[in-house]
Amino acid sequence: MSRAVFCRVSWAPCLRLGPRIFSARISSIVPPSKTHIEVLGQQFPVDDYTNITPAITSKTALKLHLQPSHPLSTLRGLIESAYPDFTHASSMSPLVTPFKNFDELSFPADHPGRAVTDSYYVNRNMMLRTHTSAHEVEMFKKGETKWLLTADVYRRDEIDASHYPIFHQVEGARIFDTDANGLKEVEEDNARLSSLLAQANIIIEDIPHISPTNPVQHDHDPVFSELVAKNLKLSLNNLILKVFGAASNISKEQPLRVRWIEAYFPFTSPSFEVEVFFQGKWLEILGCGVIRQATLDTAGVQNKIGWAFGLGLERIAMVLFSIPDIRLFWSQDPRFLSQFEDGKINVFQPYSKYPSCFKDVSFWVPKDFELHENDFCDLVRDTAGDLVEDVKRIDHFVHPKTNRTSLCYRVNYRSMDRSLSNEEINHVQSQVISRLKEQFGVEIR
Ligand code: DAH
């Protein structure tokens, strides 16, 4: 049975398989002898929430978005250049408390994003941020009123060419005084942004700024909230024009197309998602909305109203630079890195496609135990690193008499940099099998 869980750009519901587990880890990722783990040079005691793997820990310091000439860094720079008068932050530690990641942003206690099957926990009190919104309160507490923040974010996920457990987001926010001066500031900015858009080759499919299903907050003046939502949309339409206009051949015949969709986020109302029509497809690129007053209250900010957005970098960089596999962003291969220049959107020329090697593994899951797909994927990722291209569940069967569950996964191994020998892959696959038996107690079929 499929159920609604959450997508990577926006916590918007999407369909995926698998139960969510809210407490008590179901597998022992950390060997019982280990009492502490090290993340970013700090020691943390392990507990029943600990599920961060060495494959993930080893990447927490890399900050691809700051590596000169890396596509993610170029895209960050392009976005920052659209907000020249905003503060630009980009080096915040990914270690945050669950309180900061969720509670400060009004996430309910039973929100699926909190589950150990969906997020990486160092232990019950510390996790890897799942989104850049985790720093909203902190930024506002510092007194920032217009800011962008770029960072690596972490979510446990399936494995394929467009999903990786680490990706990058840019968060942006702007707040205005709720007095006559603030009102004047929004109105003037709306006029300026509207005139910029009026000259551009862009078709915007808009929806009402406020509606019964996407309501104004009860403590907001509806007129002000509407103007702020309008400012958010105008600002983002201009950003999209800058980012996609730089790369696509926008013409009178082929204008850029953007569409606005109603959304829900615990920390904004009204809320929206934005899609861009690019290379024949609608691409969901960001979530945004009018900031929930509770967030500003928590930050101690008074008499202000504002907007925020969160945008995923990989998805946009993949289409702009024609990068076919998300693992390539992590490649250290000079044949990849040397193709890019700081500030330029160069189209990636694949240097070679090496052969795939498929390996299946079928097993019985122990009775009264649920093996979540993300647990399987993390085990494979931790064993095979970036040699794994995708993982698919190809069979799921419950024995009618014993009620035992049997699963079969197909792992596709393919390096982006070299040919793999059968021997090497057999070795990796046998390690996957031993760890499956050890960590989850499965019985290989
Ligand atoms: N944090 C959300 C995510 O990762 C995206 C988002 C939605 C950011 C709405 C925002 C916002 O700032 O207002 O999926």
Side-chain angles (χ1 to χ4, degrees), residues 216-371:
V216 60
Q217 293 168 48
H218 65 84
D219 37 11
H220 280 169
D221 168 359
V223 175
F224 215 141
S225 176
E226 177 130 17
L227 283 171
V228 167
K230 185 171 176 190
N231 188 255
L232 165 69
K233 288 179 174 176
L234 288 167
S235 168
L236 288 172
N237 287 332
N238 273 296
L239 171 68
I240 292 166
L241 194 60
K242 179 150 198 151
V243 170
F244 287 87
S248 65
N249 326 324
I250 295 170
S251 61
K252 275 250 148 17
E253 299 72 48
Q254 270 197 311
L256 185 64
R257 287 170 66 196
V258 174
R259 72 178 179 202
W260 286 80
I261 294 166
E262 251 182 38
Y264 172 80
F265 303 103
F267 46 99
T268 49
S269 191
S271 306
F272 310 95
E273 270 164 11
V274 182
E275 294 184 346
V276 176
F277 195 74
F278 197 70
Q279 294 168 348
K281 278 191 207 136
W282 285 105
L283 190 72
E284 185 199 324
I285 57 162
L286 64 84
C288 62
V290 176
I291 301 164
R292 212 166 255 298
Q293 215 52 32
T295 310
L296 295 176
D297 291 346
T298 309
V301 169
Q302 282 171 0
N303 305 322
K304 302 261 193 204
I305 179 169
W307 51 251
F309 69 84
L311 166 157
L313 285 184
E314 272 79 351
R315 212 180 263 190
I316 299 176
M318 283 176 85
V319 299
L320 290 187
F321 295 83
S322 299
I323 294 173
D325 189 312
I326 197 164
R327 290 175 297 166
L328 279 162
F329 290 112
W330 299 90
S331 172
Q332 295 297 316
D333 193 319
R335 288 173 298 176
F336 175 76
L337 293 172
S338 67
Q339 293 197 24
F340 304 103
E341 291 164 80
D342 224 7
K344 282 210 179 145
I345 300 188
N346 293 349
V347 169
F348 172 63
Q349 309 292 335
Y351 29 90
S352 186
K353 186 141 180 166
Y354 296 93
S356 281
C357 179
F358 293 95
K359 296 280 170 197
D360 291 354
V361 54
S362 306
F363 50 86
W364 292 109
V365 177
K367 236 180 159 17
D368 303 325
F369 178 86
E370 284 200 277
L371 178 66

Side-chain angles (χ1 to χ4, degrees), residues 343-405:
K344 282 210 179 145
I345 300 188
N346 293 349
V347 169
F348 172 63
Q349 309 292 335
Y351 29 90
S352 186
K353 186 141 180 166
Y354 296 93
S356 281
C357 179
F358 293 95
K359 296 280 170 197
D360 291 354
V361 54
S362 306
F363 50 86
W364 292 109
V365 177
K367 236 180 159 17
D368 303 325
F369 178 86
E370 284 200 277
L371 178 66
H372 193 280
E373 185 144 331
N374 289 349
D375 284 317
F376 182 82
C377 286
D378 261 326
L379 185 147
V380 176
R381 179 96 68 191
D382 203 43
T383 313
D386 286 349
L387 294 183
V388 50
E389 178 166 292
D390 64 60
V391 170
K392 282 196 186 77
R393 194 176 72 181
I394 54 171
D395 191 39
H396 176 214
F397 156 84
V398 180
H399 193 285
K401 288 210 177 108
T402 62
N403 223 10
R404 281 175 92 195
T405 300

Side-chain angles (χ1 to χ4, degrees), residues 102-319:
F102 297 118
D103 301 76
E104 275 187 359
L105 294 162
S106 314
F107 278 72
D110 61 351
H111 191 280
R114 294 180 188 257
V116 288
T117 46
D118 283 36
S119 297
Y120 287 107
Y121 284 86
V122 172
N123 57 34
R124 277 179 178 262
N125 306 316
M126 194 58 78
M127 66 186 301
L128 295 176
R129 68 182 154 232
T130 62
H131 58 166
T132 41
S133 308
H135 298 286
E136 277 194 11
V137 167
E138 183 180 352
M139 291 300 282
F140 291 129
K141 258 190 194 159
K142 285 188 193 160
E144 298 291 354
T145 55
K146 302 170 177 186
W147 53 266
L148 292 187
L149 184 151
T150 310
D152 38 330
V153 302
Y154 300 75
R155 292 189 201 166
R156 302 189 69 197
D157 219 326
E158 65 218 71
I159 301 183
D160 66 30
S162 60
H163 289 92
Y164 201 83
I166 315 174
F167 59 107
H168 296 77
Q169 288 186 327
V170 176
E171 190 86 5
R174 176 166 186 183
I175 49 177
F176 302 89
D177 288 331
T178 48
D179 59 10
N181 284 338
L183 201 62
K184 189 163 164 259
E185 192 186 340
V186 197
E187 281 175 331
E188 283 177 2
D189 202 45
N190 286 355
R192 179 184 68 86
L193 292 167
S194 301
S195 77
L196 282 178
L197 278 177
Q199 297 156 30
N201 237 326
I202 183 167
I203 296 181
I204 300 157
E205 294 176 27
D206 203 358
I207 51 170
H209 305 326
I210 288 169
S211 76
T213 46
N214 205 13
V216 60
Q217 293 168 48
H218 65 84
D219 37 11
H220 280 169
D221 168 359
V223 175
F224 215 141
S225 176
E226 177 130 17
L227 283 171
V228 167
K230 185 171 176 190
N231 188 255
L232 165 69
K233 288 179 174 176
L234 288 167
S235 168
L236 288 172
N237 287 332
N238 273 296
L239 171 68
I240 292 166
L241 194 60
K242 179 150 198 151
V243 170
F244 287 87
S248 65
N249 326 324
I250 295 170
S251 61
K252 275 250 148 17
E253 299 72 48
Q254 270 197 311
L256 185 64
R257 287 170 66 196
V258 174
R259 72 178 179 202
W260 286 80
I261 294 166
E262 251 182 38
Y264 172 80
F265 303 103
F267 46 99
T268 49
S269 191
S271 306
F272 310 95
E273 270 164 11
V274 182
E275 294 184 346
V276 176
F277 195 74
F278 197 70
Q279 294 168 348
K281 278 191 207 136
W282 285 105
L283 190 72
E284 185 199 324
I285 57 162
L286 64 84
C288 62
V290 176
I291 301 164
R292 212 166 255 298
Q293 215 52 32
T295 310
L296 295 176
D297 291 346
T298 309
V301 169
Q302 282 171 0
N303 305 322
K304 302 261 193 204
I305 179 169
W307 51 251
F309 69 84
L311 166 157
L313 285 184
E314 272 79 351
R315 212 180 263 190
I316 299 176
M318 283 176 85
V319 299

Side-chain angles (χ1 to χ4, degrees), residues 2-59:
S2 58
R3 55 167 78 197
V5 289
F6 291 80
C7 288
R8 55 182 46 239
V9 182
S10 56
W11 298 111
C14 65
L15 291 178
R16 214 176 58 196
L17 296 173
R20 321 239 75 74
I21 313 287
F22 283 94
S23 62
R25 88 178 185 260
I26 54 168
S27 64
S28 179
I29 282 152
V30 184
S33 58
K34 264 200 148 182
T35 57
H36 285 73
I37 53 166
E38 188 178 311
V39 187
L40 290 166
Q42 266 179 279
Q43 294 286 330
F44 294 91
V46 300
D47 65 20
D48 59 339
Y49 263 50
T50 308
N51 64 2
I52 177 171
T53 60
I56 299 298
T57 316
S58 66
K59 293 194 163 78

